[in-house]
Every structure is written in structure tokens, then in C-alpha cells.
Amino acid sequence: MVAERAVIDLDDHERQPAAYDPGRFMPRSKVVVRLVAVFLVGAVLGGVGVNELRASQAERERAASVSLVALAASAGGGGLDVEGVLRLEGQLAVINTGPAPITVVAVVGQRPGAEVHGTGRSVVLRPGGTGWVEVKLRFECATAFGSEPLSVRLSVETADRQAREVTYPVALAGSVWHLNAERPCEYLAREGSARQQVDSPGS
């Protein structure tokens, strides 16, 4: 009987299957969880960025917005000429109804029989605040105080230092300016009537 020759394969250690490493491969469920987490973080960061952008835009719009109310406040001094024109010094009350502070830089308004011009002195108004703008007034007694309001244009500077113009109708009939003009205008009317009587034939 022939004895079998033992054969030893020296390369056996290279052909052995690799040992399983449980940490080498990540289970699919963990991969999905991590991807979802990355997505959520990105969405949150993106949302924060969008919110900050919107807040910044809203702040710019707030700083640039202008809303106001203008009213005749006071009048006095001045004088009346023979042409029936009354000149007074007065104040225009301006109420800032907007959300941001504004500075009133100039005021001007004109229509047949009535004019108003600012003196050039600026007034700063906080939100909800009232300021008094000094103005010079020119009224023609015969036509100034009809029912038509005086359209006044106000040049203002917003909180972000932008120049804006706002127009507001200021009522003249029954206003403080009207009340201060009544007596001198009545005096002028009486004087005119007296002169007519003197100058009329057969008087």
C-alpha cells in the first residue's frame, strides 16, 4: 500500500476568508438617520438665514416709511396791506404717525389766495410724536378761507437718511390761522366799504 504524500500548501493563510468586522460597515438604518439629520440641520440653518433676511428687509422698509398728519397750530404778528393781503407768522403741527423717527426739513404749500412756507428750521419727530414747524403765512382775505384745503408738501428725512416728500391737505376754514386772520380781514373789509361810500357819487 502506497502511503499518501502529505502536501502542505504554504499559501493557505492568504486564501482564508477575511474576518468580519462589525464596525467596518454601517447599517443602512444608521445611514438614513444621519442623512435625515444633515438635511434637518441644513433646513434649520437655511430657515434662520431666510428669517434674518426678511427681518432685515422689514427693518429697512420700516425705516423708510413715512406717515404723518399736519394741522394749523398757531398764528400771530405780521401785517395787512391795502391790497387785502395778510401776512402772519405761525406754526404747523406735524404728527408722526409712522413707525420710525423722521426729520421735517422743509414745508411749502400754495393755492390761489393762500401760501405757506417754512422758515428752514428742521424738526425731529419720534414715532407718535408731535412737532411744531415754524412757517410764514400769506393770505388774501377775499379768497383764502374757502372750503378747499391747502395742500402742503413736507420734505422729510427718514431714519435711514433717505429724502422723501409727503403731501398733506391742511384745512384752512375754521382753523387757528383763519381765526387769527378774521379780525384784520374784517377791518380791511370795513375800511374798503367806507372808502367806497366816500368815493361814490351823491354820497
Side-chain angles (χ1 to χ4, degrees):
M1 181 174 176
V2 178
E4 294 184 1
R5 216 160 93 186
V7 178
I8 299 175
D9 189 350
L10 298 176
D11 294 330
D12 277 351
H13 67 282
E14 294 180 1
R15 296 184 180 182
Q16 292 178 354
Y20 173 70
D21 184 0
R24 185 175 178 184
F25 298 103
M26 186 180 296
R28 182 174 296 178
S29 60
K30 288 188 177 180
V31 173
V32 172
V33 169
R34 289 198 177 185
L35 288 175
V36 170
V38 169
F39 174 78
L40 291 176
V41 169
V44 170
L45 293 177
V48 170
V50 169
N51 288 337
E52 289 181 355
L53 181 62
R54 288 178 178 172
S56 176
Q57 183 177 1
E59 180 63 25
R60 287 196 301 270
E61 292 176 354
R62 174 181 169 276
S65 64
V66 177
S67 178
L68 54 79
V69 174
L71 304 167
S74 68
L80 183 68
D81 63 27
V82 293
E83 300 299 325
V85 175
L86 177 63
R87 300 177 189 275
L88 300 171
E89 295 179 355
Q91 290 181 324
L92 181 72
V94 181
I95 305 168
N96 180 8
T97 57
I102 59 172
T103 301
V104 180
V105 179
V107 171
V108 63
Q110 184 174 0
R111 69 162 172 78
E115 294 181 16
V116 57
H117 295 277
T119 61
R121 183 175 299 178
S122 60
V123 177
V124 179
L125 299 176
R126 61 178 176 76
T130 302
W132 285 265
V133 181
E134 295 182 2
V135 294
K136 293 186 178 296
L137 307 167
R138 180 186 182 278
F139 298 131
E140 295 178 14
C141 290
T143 59
F145 302 105
S147 59
E148 181 184 355
L150 176 63
S151 181
V152 176
R153 187 173 71 251
L154 300 99
S155 299
V156 304
E157 185 179 277
T158 58
D160 58 353
R161 300 192 177 278
Q162 298 295 315
R164 300 280 300 278
E165 286 193 348
V166 180
T167 301
Y168 194 88
V170 176
L172 294 182
S175 68
V176 174
W177 294 347
H178 187 189
L179 295 177
N180 278 270
E182 277 186 329
R183 183 169 293 180
C185 285
E186 287 175 357
Y187 170 80
L188 182 67
R190 287 196 304 269
E191 288 294 311
S193 177
R195 283 197 300 272
Q196 286 180 355
Q197 289 178 0
V198 170
D199 296 338
S200 63
S203 59

